Amino acid sequence: MTLRVLVADDHPVYRDGLRMMLTSTGTVDVVGAAADGIEAVELAAELRPDVVVMDLQMPRLDGIEATRRVLADAPATGVLVLTMHDGDESVFAAMLAGARGYLLKGANQDEILRAITAVAGGEVIFGPALAARVTSYFATLATASRADADPFPQLTAREREVLGLIAGGLSNRQIADRLFLSPKTVRNNVSNVFTKLQVADRAQAIVRAREAGLGR
């Protein structure tokens, strides 16, 4: 199936060269070319391409906002960003706007064609130079999320329970009664908590626990 593609780039030499290159492959029909963001939005609404190849820095309307408007009108359209800008802010702004692909100018014909095909099929794709950074970013988010969900992963379930009761102001005796444990077992758990949290006493443990939302 021939994919219908709209090219949006404010540099006429690059825009025309990209159009010729894509047409020469025989697998892409370049149905239009836009010189700025406003024209990209208007042509996308008129021509209904499968994929819009979108530059980011364009006059009248930047590629981020143009992407947002194109997808608000036609959510099934695939947007592939093709730009010189490789900063994290640009990458994630484009993805948040709904772009499904991000390549840097300098990508060869095969890379661009493969990305267009992937985006048209609903896949998300990044150029080789960006893929590792994007993966690292989401891995960092996942780690932070786990840390938020479990602020003291070094503690056992019982030790976290004991810490919560310490933060609530209970004494060892009260904790023993609450958990149906012997005083010695509670003392051992409290000692383990202090050691693992690297705190000197009960007061410091309470501060750490309440900072994490326990005992409130």
Side-chain angles (χ1 to χ4, degrees), residues 112-127:
I112 295 173
L113 194 59
R114 184 165 58 248
I116 288 173
T117 303
V119 166
E123 298 177 41
V124 175
I125 187 167
F126 299 93

Side-chain angles (χ1 to χ4, degrees), residues 55-131:
D55 190 16
L56 288 188
Q57 283 201 336
M58 293 187 290
R60 296 209 293 166
L61 189 69
D62 65 72
I64 301 294
E65 183 57 30
T67 295
R68 193 174 288 114
R69 295 188 189 184
V70 166
L71 296 177
D73 179 60
T77 303
V79 175
L80 169 65
V81 171
L82 183 58
T83 180
M84 295 176 60
H85 302 282
D86 65 348
D88 290 352
E89 183 178 347
S90 296
V91 175
F92 296 116
M95 304 314 288
L96 287 171
R100 291 205 292 262
Y102 200 109
L103 289 183
L104 298 182
K105 287 181 177 178
N108 62 38
Q109 174 179 302
D110 289 341
E111 289 174 322
I112 295 173
L113 194 59
R114 184 165 58 248
I116 288 173
T117 303
V119 166
E123 298 177 41
V124 175
I125 187 167
F126 299 93
L130 301 171

Side-chain angles (χ1 to χ4, degrees), residues 167-190:
L170 275 67
S171 67
N172 283 7
R173 168 58 67 181
Q174 290 171 318
I175 292 173
D177 291 343
R178 176 74 64 87
L179 300 180
F180 304 101
L181 299 173
S182 70
K184 181 179 179 181
T185 298
V186 172
R187 283 197 303 272
N188 289 339
N189 276 292
V190 170

Side-chain angles (χ1 to χ4, degrees), residues 150-209:
D150 184 4
F152 304 113
Q154 70 272 44
L155 301 182
T156 66
R158 175 65 78 190
E159 288 164 355
R160 280 195 297 274
E161 191 173 20
V162 168
L163 177 60
L165 295 175
I166 291 173
L170 275 67
S171 67
N172 283 7
R173 168 58 67 181
Q174 290 171 318
I175 292 173
D177 291 343
R178 176 74 64 87
L179 300 180
F180 304 101
L181 299 173
S182 70
K184 181 179 179 181
T185 298
V186 172
R187 283 197 303 272
N188 289 339
N189 276 292
V190 170
S191 177
N192 289 340
V193 168
F194 289 0
T195 299
K196 290 181 179 181
L197 296 188
Q198 298 181 336
V199 296
D201 54 30
R202 207 175 193 87
Q204 290 182 11
I206 290 173
V207 170
R208 287 286 304 281

Side-chain angles (χ1 to χ4, degrees), residues 131-141:
R133 281 163 46 195
V134 172
T135 300
S136 175
Y137 174 80
F138 285 108
T140 300
L141 282 184

